[in-house]
Amino acid sequence: MTHEARLVELVAEACDAPSYALDTEFHREQTYYPRLGLVQLAWADRVILLDPLAASLEPLGALLDSSATAVMHAPDQDLEILRHAVGRVPATLVDTQTAAGFCGMRSASLRDLLARFLDIDVAKGDRLTDWLRRPLRPQQLEYAAGDVVHLPALWAALRDRLKDRGRLGWCEEECEVLRIRQAASRRPEDAWQRVRELRRLPRRSQPMAIAVAAWRESRAARLDLPVRYVLSDLALAAVVQASPASQTALAAVRGVDSRAMSPATGAELLEVINKARLKPPQVPRNSRGPDRSHLQPVVSLVSAWLSQVARDDQLDPALVATRADLAAFLEAEPGARLGAGWRYERYGSRVEELMTGKAAVALEPEGKLRIEQRSGLPL
């Protein structure tokens, strides 16, 4: 029997289970796309380690498309890898780190969760393990299996805790948002929003930032290189600000490495800059520029209250809203996280009353902030 035929059999078996644990091991230090070294699966009493260097992972697509729920831990990068390697992400998933956040734990590691909920002590992994070298050592295989073997039991314990607190629906909603976000391919036109130096530029510079960052992203993907190998973040921001019109001017920009920026590459970048100058890309309405200074006092106050009330509710404050989420909600941006679902019902609606003058923030004697009905009476 071939490896692929055996994998088809195993996938069919896993599809009949209500859920399965899933994890990956990979490297991406020297490439744009991750290099997948191992895929770990567990369901019922089975633990399967798949070697993507020895056989195609195409049959895995049937499991990802099935009605079985994928149980994963902090799966952002794993989902990106699955989308690249298999062409899809699980149709249904739960994230044990997100679930832990709804139980009041902040960015909990799998090791910490196993110790807390299952009283299992697992050894720390070696961050420098080479998952692409063959053969893999028994210690590596044991560590990889440990990432999935306890996940079903951990999810069962977390699910019971969430049910007791009435938050299972919240968790499932949040996991679906995570799944959908990672199911979509990254658009080069959005790359500039992941670079802090570019987000801080004046709004007039944002069209050029969109164009140059999209060029860097596309070139990195085409060459399968990390984006920093094409142009560092510092050089990227400097090029946007300088908007050079010649090879000489480009070479003089801070951070531009003449060894990496060949004449042909420079000409390609200059053409992008010229096109952006003649026909600037449209800036998204909800792009985050540096024009929110007027909101900072309000954001700071309300953020402090949100952080406090989230801890009182035994929730990870970052799961409720970041400062950026709060600013987006205050500016009524479409899609603001605080404006829908459980966040709005529990927190956003109260912030809304505060912003419309129906409520006020009070400081209690023990130092806690409280939102209460506004009296309108001056001191």
Side-chain angles (χ1 to χ4, degrees), residues 116-131:
R116 176 166 178 172
F117 287 91
L118 301 181
D119 198 24
I120 294 175
D121 185 19
V122 296
K124 285 187 177 181
D126 181 2
R127 293 189 305 106
L128 302 180
T129 290
D130 186 349
W131 294 104

Side-chain angles (χ1 to χ4, degrees), residues 13-64:
E13 181 182 325
C15 286
D16 289 334
S19 64
Y20 59 94
L22 174 61
D23 191 34
T24 67
E25 305 295 346
F26 59 93
H27 298 295
R28 69 182 316 164
E29 294 85 0
Q30 305 296 321
T31 58
Y32 180 84
Y33 296 106
R35 290 285 185 265
L36 186 57
L38 202 65
V39 177
Q40 304 102 285
L41 293 171
W43 69 93
D45 59 350
R46 280 193 177 276
V47 177
I48 308 296
L49 305 182
L50 306 178
D51 185 355
L53 306 185
S56 168
L57 294 178
E58 185 177 351
L60 192 59
L63 178 58
L64 300 180

Side-chain angles (χ1 to χ4, degrees), residues 159-223:
R159 183 180 57 213
D160 289 344
R161 180 76 63 87
L162 292 169
K163 282 182 178 178
D164 289 343
R165 298 184 178 188
R167 295 175 181 173
L168 181 58
W170 292 6
C171 179
E172 291 172 342
E173 179 183 324
E174 195 66 17
C175 290
E176 177 63 6
V177 170
L178 167 64
R179 189 192 72 84
I180 292 173
R181 183 175 71 243
Q182 290 298 342
S185 299
R186 295 201 306 188
R187 299 189 331 134
E189 296 79 7
D190 298 330
W192 74 283
Q193 298 195 59
R194 297 190 292 272
V195 183
R196 184 172 61 176
E197 288 81 356
L198 297 186
R199 295 198 307 270
R200 290 177 171 178
L201 292 177
R203 189 171 181 84
R204 65 178 180 276
S205 300
Q206 289 178 357
M208 186 63 70
I210 292 172
V212 178
W215 170 82
R216 181 180 74 159
E217 194 81 12
S218 298
R219 182 170 177 80
R222 189 167 69 246
L223 300 178

Side-chain angles (χ1 to χ4, degrees), residues 306-360:
L306 276 175
S307 181
Q308 172 195 288
V309 76
R311 288 194 298 270
D312 290 345
D313 288 347
Q314 294 187 313
L315 281 171
D316 178 357
L319 196 57
V320 174
T322 63
R323 289 176 66 91
D325 292 330
L326 181 53
F329 178 69
L330 295 178
E331 287 198 343
E333 288 184 0
R337 291 209 306 166
L338 266 176
W342 62 270
R343 287 186 180 85
Y344 180 77
E345 292 173 13
R346 175 66 178 162
Y347 305 102
S349 59
R350 297 162 75 184
V351 174
E352 207 166 56
E353 289 189 355
L354 178 67
M355 300 310 298
T356 55
K358 297 178 182 177

